[in-house]
Amino acid sequence: MARRLLPTFDRILIRRFEPISKTAGGVLLPESSQKKSPLGEVIAVGPGRRSADGELVPISFQVKDKVLLPESYLSNEVELDNEKFILVKEEDIPAKVEE
């Protein structure tokens, strides 16, 4: 049975893109020289946060958006079904990446 992780409030679940393991010329890179990608894909979003007057403020990101991960962030790394995810607040994501 597949499990789903559903973020609450203004939290966003992100899967970090895999590091590049092969050069353009086809040379395989050892794990020690691979850097973690600063980019990720939004997997799930919470409903949003409540404003001071109680109204729901929806999240500005959508599933499948590409985002820049913050360099230093307070987040939770989560492993679910042998896959790693990052759970962050919306305000901690510095940018959306568009191609």
Side-chain angles (χ1 to χ4, degrees), residues 39-54:
L39 301 175
E41 178 182 16
V42 175
I43 302 300
V45 297
R49 63 176 174 81
R50 295 281 176 186
S51 66
D53 57 345

Side-chain angles (χ1 to χ4, degrees), residues 2-21:
R3 296 186 294 172
R4 289 180 29 162
L5 188 61
L6 302 173
T8 57
F9 304 110
D10 64 340
R11 289 178 177 79
I12 300 174
L13 187 67
I14 300 170
R15 179 186 306 128
R16 184 187 297 270
F17 288 134
E18 292 295 319
I20 297 172
S21 60

